[in-house]
Amino acid sequence: MKCDFDGRIIKSIQRRGKYMIFNTNGEQALLVHLGMSGRFTVHAKGQEYHRAEHDHVVFILGNGARVVYNDARRFGFMIPVSQANWQTEAPFASMGPEPLSEDFTAPALLKRLKARRTPIKVALLDQSVVAGIGNIYASEALFEARIDPRKPAFDLSVKEAEALTSAIQSVLLRAIEAGGSTLKDYRHADGALGYFQHHFAVYDREKEPCPGCLCDFISTGGIQRLAQSGRTTYFCPHMQAHKMIALKKREKR
DNA sequence: AGTGTCGCCTGAATGC
DNA sequence: TGCATTCAGGCGACAC
């Protein structure tokens, strides 16, 4: 099938948050999001290719290699965007800082959380607070920072914001180091699996003890899960306890 | 403007 | 075995 990008040269590939941007020698760039189950795999020139189920797009490169986009759930998308303007358009105009950049500081995070009455876990999934955090890493970072996921976002102290920014960076760096998290679909471009799922502290570990658990595990029941805005959160109620309830009672008087 | 709910789509796991 | 239900790395449209 012909498309607008036929014959274009891919000049560079960028990433912002969970989006990839393929810059070309034309007016338009290709914006790509993998959704939940999207993946790219690279097949070298001469390597036989048979279309597999859920292969939706195949890029045939000038050197004969194939880059295949496979996406079982089809939540991913590719759209042409203006190469000159995409950064000032949705969703990038309002997107939060890159968590591994120097723009991501505790004061910057506090500023973006200031007006949010929503729980901190829900706020972390909002890409306009910080870019690139998904459901796994939100739970993992909050555990590492020892912050209750139910705590209102605006209620974070300076100390908590500091702990959270470093926890987010630490979790992401370790996850990248381990090659990402393969629950079902995630693969590298060469088909390799990620290994960070073996290092989760709380995610998908309901009723297990958290790392370094000091409480009476039998009586506490270990890690708990709850639903927040339709997404599952995992946390340790003992390691991540906060005093909101006591404070609320005081406010009411 | 911030917030919650719903739909998109398929596959795997679970329950009956 | 078969069928229905539930849930899953995300996001955008929509209503309030």
Side-chain angles (χ1 to χ4, degrees):
Chain A
M1 196 199 301
K2 287 290 263 186
C3 79
D4 292 350
F5 290 94
D6 273 352
R8 293 289 179 211
I9 294 167
I10 299 169
K11 305 288 280 188
S12 62
I13 302 174
Q14 290 174 259
R15 179 196 60 75
R16 175 79 172 99
K18 298 178 190 171
Y19 296 81
M20 282 180 267
I21 302 98
F22 289 67
N23 294 304
T24 73
N25 63 337
E27 276 186 20
Q28 293 185 316
L30 186 64
L31 181 65
V32 178
H33 194 295
L34 301 179
M36 301 264 253
S37 56
R39 64 166 80 136
F40 279 116
T41 47
V42 178
H43 306 255
K45 178 183 182 176
Q47 201 179 334
E48 232 182 302
Y49 167 72
H50 299 288
R51 191 177 176 207
E53 196 177 15
H54 308 307
D55 281 357
H56 303 301
V57 180
V58 179
F59 296 92
I60 300 168
L61 306 189
N63 67 3
R66 285 182 170 80
V67 177
V68 178
Y69 181 71
N70 179 288
D71 187 356
R73 292 179 70 180
R74 281 189 273 154
F75 282 3
F77 50 86
M78 294 185 195
I79 47 169
V81 293
S82 156
Q83 198 144 238
N85 299 329
W86 63 264
Q87 301 191 60
T88 59
E89 292 165 2
F92 301 104
S94 59
M95 191 173 282
E98 285 295 322
L100 298 180
S101 76
E102 37 187 59
D103 295 340
F104 186 57
T105 61
L109 179 63
L110 279 173
K111 194 177 169 188
R112 287 181 184 264
L113 294 178
K114 200 174 57 182
R116 310 234 174 201
R117 311 195 65 77
T118 196
I120 182 60
K121 157 63 166 33
V122 176
L124 285 183
L125 293 181
D126 186 333
Q127 303 296 297
S128 64
V129 170
V130 51
I133 309 293
N135 203 38
I136 292 175
Y137 303 122
S139 283
E140 291 294 310
L142 286 169
F143 172 79
E144 185 159 320
R146 303 291 187 261
I147 296 169
D148 191 314
R150 299 164 294 189
K151 183 163 189 163
F154 70 87
D155 230 9
L156 255 65
S157 69
V158 173
K159 280 213 150 182
E160 286 173 320
E162 282 166 359
L164 187 52
T165 49
S166 19
I168 287 169
Q169 293 175 337
S170 151
V171 165
L172 291 181
L173 287 171
R174 283 185 286 119
I176 291 165
E177 181 75 18
S181 307
T182 300
L183 298 187
K184 285 190 172 73
D185 308 293
Y186 175 71
R187 293 293 157 87
H188 294 219
D190 63 0
L193 304 173
Y195 285 93
F196 193 64
Q197 66 278 13
H198 303 304
H199 301 282
F200 290 165
V202 290
Y203 187 85
D204 205 18
R205 299 192 59 229
E206 187 185 15
K207 295 179 180 164
E208 292 176 42
C210 62
C213 183
L214 296 173
C215 52
D216 180 359
F217 169 67
I218 303 296
S219 66
T220 62
I223 294 161
Q224 288 184 18
R225 59 178 277 169
L226 69 143
Q228 296 181 288
S229 273
R231 313 296 302 281
T232 304
T233 302
Y234 294 88
F235 74 115
C236 172
H238 305 276
M239 300 282 260
Q240 296 168 262
H242 76 87
K243 284 122 194 144
M244 187 188 80
I245 294 159
L247 286 171
K248 264 201 168 169
K249 276 183 184 164
R250 207 187 309 157
E251 275 168 23
K252 277 183 183 170
R253 280 190 222 143

